[in-house]
Amino acid sequence: MLSVKKWLAGMLALTLVILVAVAGVIIYVDPYFHYHGPQAGLYYELNNERSQNDGIIRHFSYDGMIIGTSMSENFKASEAEGLWGGTFIKVPFAGGTYKEQNDNIAKAIKYNPDLKIVIRPLDYAYLMDDPARVRDDLGDYPDYLYDNNPFNDVNYIFNKDIFYGICLPMLEDAQAGKAAGITSFDDYANWMAEAEFGPEAALLGRTEYKAPEQNQPFVDEVKEMVDANITQNVVELAQANPDVDFYYYLTPYSVAWWGSQKELGTLERWLAVEKYAIELMLECDNIHLYSFNNEFDVVSDLNNYRDECHHGDWINSQILGWLYSGTDQLTKENYKDYLAVEKDYYTTFDYEGLLK
């Protein structure tokens, strides 16, 4: 009986030692930057947005950030640094809602008092959205990496996939002489290598544009949703942080997207949604608001797009230049003229001509 107890005690001690060793390696390497930034001598692959972005925001040094959905993934931080100076991080959340993005900007401001510039595309299709919505349809969200609860860190520090699949290979690479470093914020999340562009990709096999069965109005319920979404997830943070400059822009979707909205009978409602959202955002002096929907040579050239919405990285580079130079900035004095030109173009465009 005593030997059994000794054996059990020995096995328990061995298990404890193994668990401590696993936790120690993961905490030391910390591939998701949950406890600290990159360790000297190791190379870190940036390849998991929702697991790594929180740690980047908390533990990296920067005074500028680029954040957004997949519309932001092709930005090059080095180009932003070349224009504004300083050090930029890029922390995209593919498919992320306005709330998810805003929560992470707020966290960046909390943990980094040096933050001065935020560049963020405002996805046009998310202007009209539940202000509390988060994407729970993209797989398990690593909430344990985002909160300050040390107890649920067991999901990280005792994770065998992270230990065997990430940490040990990183240590082996270091021993083999692999140069230390980190994936650049130019390359992080960039999807250009896998994309195909052009009319066939942008039109998604469409063969016709049908007339709408009915046009959807801009009703009070929609207005209230836009008000809550923009106020909570865009405006309030800017008002609370007047020393931070927010460079926000409405994403320039292709004319093919506008053709789809016209077919659905939602085009004019989107224009009304946009007008109301613009008016809310223009009340903040430190929101530098832009829209490139009237850059018609861009949006009407389907060679710039991989689908109805996503443009190539050359457009991201152009957008940074426009943001820096003030091109297409919306103001209280010019936004109504912008809206009039926009409405005329997208309501009268020959969408059938895209199919020829």
Side-chain angles (χ1 to χ4, degrees):
M1 188 69 171
L2 185 60
S3 61
V4 173
K5 288 183 178 179
K6 286 183 177 179
W7 180 84
L8 289 174
M11 290 301 297
L12 181 61
L14 178 61
T15 300
L16 184 61
V17 168
I18 292 172
L19 288 175
V20 170
V22 168
V25 169
I26 291 178
I27 291 170
Y28 172 77
V29 176
D30 199 8
Y32 294 162
F33 316 114
H34 188 49
Y35 302 106
H36 54 75
Q39 290 281 18
L42 298 176
Y43 185 84
Y44 290 78
E45 293 279 356
L46 298 185
N47 54 16
N48 192 326
E49 294 175 358
R50 283 180 166 77
S51 291
Q52 292 177 309
N53 282 350
D54 180 74
I56 292 170
I57 287 170
R58 288 177 187 252
H59 297 299
F60 280 47
S61 296
Y62 55 94
D63 46 28
M65 72 183 300
I66 300 170
I67 190 169
T69 62
S70 53
M71 300 294 291
S72 71
E73 290 179 318
N74 290 338
F75 278 120
K76 294 179 174 64
S78 64
E79 293 180 346
E81 291 168 354
L83 293 168
W84 282 275
T87 302
F88 275 75
I89 58 170
K90 182 177 73 175
V91 281
F93 291 82
T97 63
Y98 278 19
K99 173 177 170 53
E100 290 174 276
Q101 295 168 40
N102 194 67
D103 287 351
N104 281 281
I105 298 170
K107 185 173 291 184
I109 293 171
K110 175 182 177 181
Y111 285 98
N112 188 351
D114 295 327
L115 180 62
K116 299 301 179 188
I117 296 173
V118 177
I119 296 173
R120 173 189 180 188
L122 298 170
D123 284 60
Y124 203 94
Y126 287 178
L127 289 170
M128 184 169 49
D129 200 2
D130 184 332
R133 186 171 76 95
V134 296
R135 294 295 299 273
D136 55 6
D137 57 333
L138 299 173
D140 292 335
Y141 206 92
D143 294 312
Y144 54 89
L145 295 174
Y146 285 75
D147 61 27
N148 293 311
N149 178 3
F151 297 104
N152 62 16
D153 283 2
V154 296
N155 295 287
Y156 181 51
I157 62 175
F158 298 133
N159 188 310
K160 69 179 188 303
D161 293 330
I162 294 174
F163 179 75
Y164 287 109
I166 303 177
C167 293
L168 291 188
M170 287 175 64
L171 293 170
E172 290 168 1
D173 285 344
Q175 281 218 318
K178 183 174 181 177
I182 190 169
T183 304
S184 78
F185 287 116
D186 289 0
D187 296 328
Y188 178 33
N190 188 296
W191 44 257
M192 284 297 296
E194 64 198 45
E196 294 184 7
F197 296 86
E200 185 175 344
L203 291 170
L204 304 172
R206 179 184 287 278
T207 58
E208 65 175 333
Y209 283 98
K210 299 176 182 178
E213 294 182 4
Q214 62 179 11
N215 288 313
Q216 302 295 322
F218 182 53
V219 295
D220 287 343
E221 182 180 4
V222 171
K223 183 177 181 180
E224 291 168 3
M225 180 183 294
V226 175
D227 191 344
N229 189 30
I230 298 301
T231 300
Q232 172 184 307
N233 297 318
V234 181
V235 171
E236 287 181 347
L237 188 63
Q239 290 175 332
N241 296 278
D243 294 332
V244 179
D245 287 309
F246 298 88
Y247 287 83
Y248 289 170
Y249 70 91
L250 302 173
T251 48
Y253 295 161
S254 76
V255 289
W257 183 84
W258 290 92
S260 293
Q261 303 315 306
K262 187 173 184 180
E263 181 180 75
L264 293 169
T266 57
L267 191 154
E268 296 209 23
R269 182 168 70 178
W270 276 115
L271 293 172
V273 165
E274 178 188 357
K275 177 178 182 293
Y276 186 55
I278 287 172
E279 290 170 345
L280 292 171
M281 288 186 279
L282 286 181
E283 293 302 313
C284 293
D285 292 338
N286 58 329
I287 291 181
H288 309 283
L289 182 63
Y290 294 73
S291 177
F292 309 113
N293 288 339
N294 290 0
E295 291 290 341
F296 301 130
D297 58 335
V298 171
V299 299
S300 63
D301 183 354
L302 298 186
N303 290 307
N304 289 323
Y305 291 86
R306 68 176 291 182
D307 52 32
E308 288 188 341
C309 301
H310 292 85
H311 50 67
D313 64 353
W314 56 94
I315 304 300
N316 292 85
S317 297
Q318 180 66 75
I319 284 172
L320 287 178
W322 284 334
L323 293 176
Y324 184 74
S325 66
T327 302
D328 296 313
Q329 184 170 2
L330 300 176
T331 66
K332 291 180 179 179
E333 291 72 34
N334 71 13
Y335 83 96
K336 289 183 179 178
D337 291 336
Y338 152 79
L339 289 168
V341 173
E342 179 188 45
K343 180 176 181 179
D344 179 68
Y345 186 79
Y346 291 110
T347 56
T348 64
F349 186 85
D350 177 20
Y351 295 104
E352 290 291 334
L354 295 174
L355 309 175
K356 297 176 182 177

